[in-house]
Amino acid sequence: MFRSEEMVLCQLFVQPEAAYVSMYELGEAGIAQFRDLNPHVNDFQRRYVTEVRRCNEMERKLRWVSGELPEPPPPPKPSPRVLTPREINILEERIDYIESEIQEITKNAQNLKTDYLALIELKLLIEKTQTFFQDHSAHRKISASVQIYNNDGALGHLGFIAGVVATARVPSFERMLWRISHGNIFFKQAQIDEPLKDPVTSHELQKTVFVVFFHGEQIKLRVKKVCNGFQATLYPCPATYKEQQDMLAGIESRIKDLEMVLEQTEQHRRLVLANIARDISTWMVVVRKEKAIYHTLNMFSMDIVKKCLIAECWVPRCDLHILQKALDNGVKASGSPIPSILHHVPTLEIPPTYNRTNKFTRGFQTLIDSYGIASYREVNPALYTIITFPFLFAVMFGDMGHGLIMTAFAAILVIFEKKFAKNKTDNEIWNIFFGGRYIILLMGIFSVYTGLIYNDIFSKSLNIFGSSWQNVYDEGTLRNYSTFELDPKDAYTKTPYPLGIDPAWQFAANNIIFLNSFKMKLSIIFGVLHMAFGVTLSVVNFNFFKKAELIFLQYIPQILFLLLLFWYLCILMFMKWIMYSADATDNALGTSCAPSVLIIFINMMLLKESTAKGSCKPFMYDGQEIIQNIFLAIAFLCIPIMLFGKPVYQIMAAKKQKRGGVEGGAGGAGAGGAGGAAGEALGEALITQAIHTIEYVLGAVSHTASYLRLWALSLAHAQLSAVLWQRLLKIGLGGGSPVNAILLYILFAAWAFFTLAILVLMEGLSAFLHTLRLHWVEFMSKFYEGQGYAFLPFSFSVILEADEVDIKEKPNGGPPE
């Protein structure tokens, strides 16, 4: 992980009959990124376009069949070998047969369901219309008052039409009938209580039975047209009660027969789909692999006589033996007497960046790649991020209790990672947590450690080693916590607490002042160390890329500028901690004379004289003013070196190269052109270097201040935790009545919820983002270019995973044409 893999550009000469097997093995290995040697050729004019279309068609059919399955199919079986062209043809014929069989079964089932729906509607219509022919106001039947003269739905001089229409359309349907007949109709309706099923979509249908009584053929034609317009289904309905009963008996008999046929058809369909479900995932993988192979083969070019395929690909140098073995296996499988040739191509083109990762390092590498893919072979920050990222996070999130919650959550994900990995889900939040499980685990473990240093567990302290403070306070002071301040002059035993913060500070009124000073200074120290490490990593890049001059022209001025100013600030902090004490015999070294490090630093930068009060000394040590002025002078002398060093060196190198070209016999015109181009390049280099110098000098100040977020978020996290304790849990713990027990139960649930939701999730996310910023901006900007492009090999695992995502985003539509 120190730097990306060394890549080699290879040229392959492969016989067409050996190419398929070789590409299959390379797809399984995932080590080669192929270049398209036919960039200007249309996709439909390439050599293997027919094979790609055939694979697309098979994949479309399999996706449609998969959409017909009642349950998701089982995962694919591992395929130990590549299928031969004959086996692929057999698979294609089988897929075609399965598709046509399922289409036929589905079509027959839909026809039967359509007939079944029609019979059910007719049955319900007859049952409902028996009440329509009853005149409730006169308590007599219409058929009894008017002589019946035919069986075509005519009652005396009245005709009628019966049918079924969607319930939602009934109001507008009735209104339209009223309008076209000018009110000369009689409309009766009755809603069907149980919803019916659509034979095609299986959706529920709410329908209503209706009968329209009218007079005259002209109105009859109009009524039929309206029925067609509203997609109402018309059925023949007898007018007499006896005929209705006879028809009902016949319909019920047909319905029973149809139900039996439908059940047998559905059983047959389920049996066919169950047989297919066992293998459909495996077939889908085979088809996708074959399509990927032919798609990649379309990137190859042909030689002049069109008997050999030529390919170019980027391969990691240490994987060249796998590439050679794949080519040899392809030749052996095809029985070709002509071997495949592997040729290394020297090139000035920048290779892709490939960092090998495992399940532990993959998450950290993703954090770095999100900022920008590393330039080829430059130092990879992910290696150091494995430790620095969770550590800086934990400085902001330091609490043993919250760290244990985070560690337990990540540990569950890590322990059962195989089980969770099999159960793939579309939940993006879950996938992010699972992908970063090792990052979360380390963040939790480091947070437990920093919580131990802060002696903070859910805003309370642990008394592990007793206390280094003795009780010299009266009873009244101890009762009133607001005035209980720890004074080292009286109460400190001069024996340091073994590890972390003394628990006595938990009760002190001045604990925030103490912790603020402690955490603020630590933040600056960590920040300067982190930035100095980032600047130092640039030396590794300069040395590797044989740019030793930049060590003297860039690294040394940058590190001197950073250390002489800001590391000197950190040294003053250490000196203040060591030199000044509450029980010092010399008043000049007492706490009252302890200087403000920040004021000293500001006076140093502004060249102001430091003043002292009373018997205090203006400086911390003898000769401090002279040393500070020397440091300041050297730091400011580094700026012109950073600004002009690299461009001046490039001028000298260009002149030397030009002189060598002239001595070698270069033409005058050519030399003049080269001089003009060198001048333009020099101007661009000067502007670029000026931007980088200004950015570094100003950034050294702003980036150092930026690390104060470590102190700010740590303080905010501790105070939020304390507020939750004071405002929730402490109230429930007060008193001993039964009511208090119930109240404690409720308040503990609220405290636990807010602890998880706010302090662990929201505060954890906030600390994560701030840590990410410190790495991307403050650390990586010192040495990381991030101008590379990712290595994207031809890999079946990547292709199949991408296809699964596409299927979930674009679910299967209707049946194939």
Side-chain angles (χ1 to χ4, degrees), residues 42 58 87 330 404 422 453 455 482 511 547 557 570 579 643 651 660 674 716 728 736 770:
N42 193 297
M58 284 194 289
E87 290 172 326
L404 285 171
K422 290 179 181 177
I453 296 298
N455 202 354
S482 61
N511 69 330
K547 296 179 180 179
C570 298
M579 293 172 58
L643 185 59
I651 292 174
L728 283 177
H770 282 282

Side-chain angles (χ1 to χ4, degrees), residues 515-561:
L515 289 175
N516 267 355
S517 176
F518 169 72
K519 292 180 179 180
M520 183 172 64
K521 291 181 173 66
L522 276 184
S523 299
I524 297 296
I525 293 168
F526 289 148
V528 175
L529 287 173
H530 199 212
M531 290 190 295
F533 177 59
V535 175
T536 305
L537 283 177
S538 63
V539 177
V540 183
N541 281 334
F542 297 152
N543 186 54
F544 180 80
F545 293 114
K546 295 181 173 56
K547 296 179 180 179
E549 70 279 359
L550 294 183
I551 297 177
F552 301 97
L553 301 176
Q554 187 167 319
Y555 167 68
I556 291 179
Q558 285 184 350
I559 197 69
L560 280 176
F561 184 85

Side-chain angles (χ1 to χ4, degrees), residues 647 650-651 676-690:
Q650 289 180 346
I651 292 174
E680 292 179 7
L682 176 63
E684 184 179 346
L686 193 60
I687 294 172
T688 303
Q689 191 64 24

Side-chain angles (χ1 to χ4, degrees), residues 174-234:
E174 184 178 3
R175 197 178 304 116
M176 183 59 69
L177 288 173
W178 183 265
R179 287 176 180 173
I180 59 105
S181 64
H182 302 291
N184 294 319
I185 62 159
F186 187 61
F187 184 81
K188 282 281 190 178
Q189 61 164 327
Q191 186 174 348
I192 300 174
D193 299 329
E194 294 183 2
L196 306 175
K197 277 194 176 182
D198 189 290
V200 178
T201 62
S202 297
H203 294 163
E204 289 188 348
L205 301 174
Q206 295 289 344
K207 292 203 171 185
T208 298
V209 171
F210 69 91
V211 175
V212 182
F213 296 94
F214 53 84
H215 177 72
E217 287 295 324
Q218 190 174 5
I219 294 181
K220 179 181 179 181
L221 294 174
R222 292 178 184 177
V223 169
K224 283 188 174 181
K225 286 181 180 180
V226 172
C227 292
N228 291 333
F230 280 84
Q231 298 179 359
T233 309
L234 302 180

Side-chain angles (χ1 to χ4, degrees), residues 384-403:
Y384 316 103
T385 303
I386 293 174
I387 297 301
T388 59
F389 191 93
F391 176 74
L392 292 182
F393 170 87
V395 172
M396 294 182 270
F397 195 75
D399 188 293
M400 277 187 284
H402 304 151

Side-chain angles (χ1 to χ4, degrees), residues 7 26 29-33 314-316 319-320 322-323 791 793-795:
M7 308 298 291
L26 289 177
I31 60 164
Q33 177 178 329
W314 292 105
V315 183
D319 290 336
L320 285 173
I322 301 176
L323 176 60
F791 175 61
F794 168 58
S795 171

